[in-house]
Amino acid sequence: MSPNPPLIDSQKNQMDSKLSNSMDKPNMTTQPSVDDKEETVQLKQKISLMNGVALIVGTIIGSGIFVSPKGVLQSSGSVGLCLLVWAGCGIISLLGALCYAELGVTITRSGGDYAYIMEAFGPLPAFLQLWVNLLVIRPTAQAIVSLTFAYYSLQPIFPDCDPPQMAVRLLAALCITILTYVNAMSVRAATRIQDVFTFAKIFALIAIIITGLLLLGQGETEHFENAFEGTTTNVGDISLALYSGLFAYAGWNFLNFVTEEMKDPYKNLPLAIYISIPIVTIIYVLANMAYFTAMSPQEMLKSIATAVTFGDNIYKQGAFLVPIFVALSTFGGVNGLLFTSGRLCYVGAREGHLPGLMGMVSHVRYTPLPAILFTGMLSLLMLVSADVYSLINYLSFVQWLSVGTAILGMVYLRCTRPDIKRPIKFPLIIPILFLITVVFLLIVPLVAAPRETGMGILIVCSGVPVYLLGVCWKSKPKVFKNFMVQMTLVGQKVMSVSPSTHESSD
């Protein structure tokens, strides 16, 4: 890996000089020279408030609420505590999202956790966050969600058995390829896809909720009687229930990865968060209530896909529609993941933590084209692995560590840099309460699943030698520098991209 060189000049000696100079800069953030300004481009502010709400809601609501609400029920032990956990996870997510609203309007660079950790704690912690997210967490999540899309898309064709694995993987690859192309070609098209598929999944959940309310009105309240019977008192089980619920809320901070592309981010970023999280919380709680009107807790625990079982019990001839809506939901989820992952890669390259080509923008499309293609290819490679699901178990701990570190950075900046412009400033009790929750969620896995937690930490630490060689080592051999120059120039010509301009938020 090499810091981001501003490679626009065609003269070889000028390129080498610029490359050398960029490697000597301590903050590693590329700024184009005066001669380059006419040829530089930047991402456009095309994401509206509605697009932002759709991105958050569409990324949060994936396959989880349709497929596996039983995880929360299994760990909580009762219907009553199960519903309270779903509501509690929404409140926890809202606390975190409020912190990210403040971070997003204080540090207006795209990149989410990566940008905030960089600002508060410097390049090494930020690089480790980038390393594990870009190379493992994001591609793995995109691969798994695309496999879920493919499975439920094919299920109506194979109603009596599981679809062939090869067909599932090929369709998942097609899903990633199509959405990578769309995201590379047009921000507007990508956000429209997100809007449409978000509305589709909300429509499906509203249909389930209305059905549940009608059943409640008809007296189907059997499973709500003695709702807290069997409630667990084990702290470990309650923490696992929270983990399952919070996993279904994952994505509440994804809008912060695209802050620079929002219209009026100071207004629309926090407003999108305030609208989105309550919507998702209400939908999740009501959807789970609807499930319990049509199936017993025992039946939910045995179900492979809760929404499909619900459809079989209630809709009869129309039950085939439920897998279709699950597929639509996951398709929108893959789109949201690709959209934000590309921006994370782009910002990392712009800060000098990835090859410079990754931090360039298309002259024509105004998209971070190389970054999106790179993340799409990594996701396709993950589909080849037979153990792709096991990686998620290793990295749940790391995801919460990343979020906790970003919000700890918010508190740290409050103390060390109180004069930074903060258009929004919440009471300190909000980040403290959230950090207490994060500490709880980090300590429990260390005791309950030390092997998986240890593997996650090991994957993070594997980025340290990469950082030392790729970023800190300034006196790389000239042959390597020349190779990177030539490779970057070839990439620029093939994709018609150049370095973007960027104004600091400070």
Side-chain angles (χ1 to χ4, degrees):
M1 288 192 279
S2 171
N4 181 11
L7 301 174
I8 290 295
D9 269 305
S10 59
Q11 302 298 323
K12 178 73 167 57
N13 58 346
Q14 290 178 347
M15 289 187 295
D16 287 342
S17 174
K18 288 180 181 180
L19 181 62
S20 177
N21 290 338
S22 73
M23 288 184 168
D24 294 333
K25 291 180 181 179
N27 71 353
M28 297 168 294
T29 302
T30 297
Q31 294 294 342
S33 67
V34 174
D35 294 337
D36 294 334
K37 284 185 178 178
E38 291 184 0
E39 297 193 49
T40 55
V41 292
Q42 65 184 50
L43 300 178
K44 303 298 182 182
Q45 293 181 318
K46 294 184 178 181
I47 301 176
S48 65
L49 174 61
M50 187 183 76
N51 296 148
V53 172
L55 184 61
I56 297 175
V57 174
T59 306
I60 292 177
I61 302 178
S63 61
I65 189 62
F66 295 102
V67 178
S68 55
K70 67 179 182 181
V72 177
L73 175 63
Q74 188 172 22
S75 298
S76 59
S78 70
V79 172
L81 183 58
C82 173
L83 295 176
L84 286 178
V85 167
W86 280 108
C89 289
I91 293 171
I92 292 170
S93 299
L94 181 59
L95 289 176
L98 292 176
C99 297
Y100 270 69
E102 178 176 326
L103 282 166
V105 297
T106 303
I107 303 166
T108 55
R109 293 194 298 274
S110 293
D113 301 354
Y114 170 76
Y116 309 146
I117 294 171
M118 170 76 81
E119 189 73 26
F121 301 118
L124 177 57
F127 178 85
L128 295 179
Q129 194 276 345
L130 176 71
W131 168 258
V132 74
N133 267 273
L134 193 61
L135 294 183
V136 184
I137 292 179
R138 291 307 191 93
T140 300
Q142 285 151 202
I144 288 175
V145 178
S146 67
L147 287 168
T148 307
F149 158 78
Y151 180 89
Y152 284 97
S153 297
L154 293 171
Q155 193 182 56
I157 304 173
F158 300 92
D160 300 322
C161 63
D162 288 337
Q165 279 300 305
M166 183 56 70
V168 170
R169 290 184 182 271
L170 286 174
L171 185 55
L174 181 62
C175 167
I176 291 173
T177 302
I178 290 173
L179 289 176
T180 299
Y181 174 80
V182 171
N183 277 270
M185 290 297 104
S186 171
V187 172
R188 191 178 301 278
T191 54
R192 282 179 178 171
I193 285 178
Q194 196 66 27
D195 294 346
V196 170
F197 283 89
T198 296
F199 288 131
K201 67 181 73 177
I202 290 177
F203 174 81
L205 286 168
I206 288 175
I208 290 172
I209 289 168
I210 291 174
T211 303
L213 293 174
L214 291 174
L215 291 172
L216 281 174
Q218 294 170 7
E220 296 292 337
T221 59
E222 176 187 354
H223 304 129
F224 298 101
E225 298 170 4
N226 302 316
F228 289 92
E229 184 178 349
T231 296
T232 183
T233 56
N234 184 285
V235 175
D237 288 339
I238 293 173
S239 68
L240 290 175
L242 285 171
Y243 251 113
S244 296
L246 289 168
F247 181 78
Y249 280 92
W252 50 263
N253 59 338
F254 276 20
L255 191 59
N256 292 65
F257 286 88
V258 296
T259 307
E260 293 171 32
E261 294 174 79
M262 288 204 72
K263 299 175 181 176
D264 194 2
Y266 291 107
K267 173 186 173 183
N268 288 337
L269 174 64
L271 193 55
I273 289 171
Y274 303 153
I275 293 171
S276 304
I277 308 301
I279 287 176
V280 174
T281 303
I282 291 168
I283 287 175
Y284 275 8
V285 173
L286 292 179
N288 276 277
M289 289 180 64
Y291 290 147
F292 287 120
T293 63
M295 67 183 79
S296 67
Q298 293 74 25
E299 192 175 2
M300 180 182 285
L301 291 174
K302 292 178 182 177
S303 173
I304 297 175
T306 306
V308 175
T309 303
F310 179 89
D312 291 339
N313 290 352
I314 301 300
Y315 299 135
K316 306 302 179 186
Q317 299 300 321
F320 72 94
L321 292 172
V322 177
I324 293 175
F325 278 111
V326 175
L328 293 175
S329 177
T330 50
F331 189 82
V334 175
N335 185 67
L337 284 166
L338 278 169
F339 190 88
T340 54
S341 296
R343 272 63 184 177
L344 176 60
C345 178
Y346 162 77
V347 174
R350 197 174 62 188
E351 295 294 336
H353 287 170
L354 292 171
L357 183 63
M358 299 296 172
M360 297 188 185
V361 177
S362 168
H363 294 292
V364 179
R365 306 294 179 179
Y366 297 104
T367 61
L369 181 61
I372 291 171
L373 294 178
F374 177 71
T375 53
M377 286 188 289
L378 282 179
S379 302
L380 290 172
L381 286 174
M382 285 293 180
L383 292 176
V384 178
S385 171
D387 297 324
V388 64
Y389 288 93
S390 66
L391 291 172
I392 288 294
N393 296 328
Y394 297 150
L395 296 166
S396 294
F397 174 88
V398 178
Q399 287 179 302
W400 280 107
L401 182 62
S402 173
V403 170
T405 304
I407 294 180
L408 181 63
M410 168 186 161
V411 177
Y412 177 75
L413 288 173
R414 287 265 196 106
C415 299
T416 58
R417 299 173 65 184
D419 297 331
I420 294 179
K421 179 183 177 183
R422 292 177 172 86
I424 298 174
K425 188 175 182 180
F426 291 104
L428 201 57
I429 188 64
I430 290 178
I432 289 173
L433 285 174
F434 187 80
L435 285 172
I436 290 171
T437 304
V438 171
V439 169
F440 174 75
L441 292 170
L442 291 177
I443 290 175
V444 170
L446 286 172
V447 178
R451 180 179 178 276
E452 287 79 1
T453 304
M455 286 296 296
I457 294 173
L458 187 63
I459 292 172
V460 175
C461 292
S462 69
V464 174
V466 179
Y467 175 79
L468 294 175
L469 292 173
V471 179
C472 291
W473 185 24
K474 300 296 195 304
S475 56
K476 296 180 179 67
K478 189 172 183 180
V479 63
F480 177 80
K481 294 180 182 180
N482 291 339
F483 173 76
M484 292 303 297
V485 167
Q486 294 302 323
M487 290 298 294
T488 304
L489 279 175
V490 170
Q492 284 187 267
K493 292 175 182 177
V494 169
M495 290 181 276
S496 187
V497 295
S498 63
S500 67
T501 57
H502 169 66
E503 296 297 330
S504 173
S505 63
D506 296 343

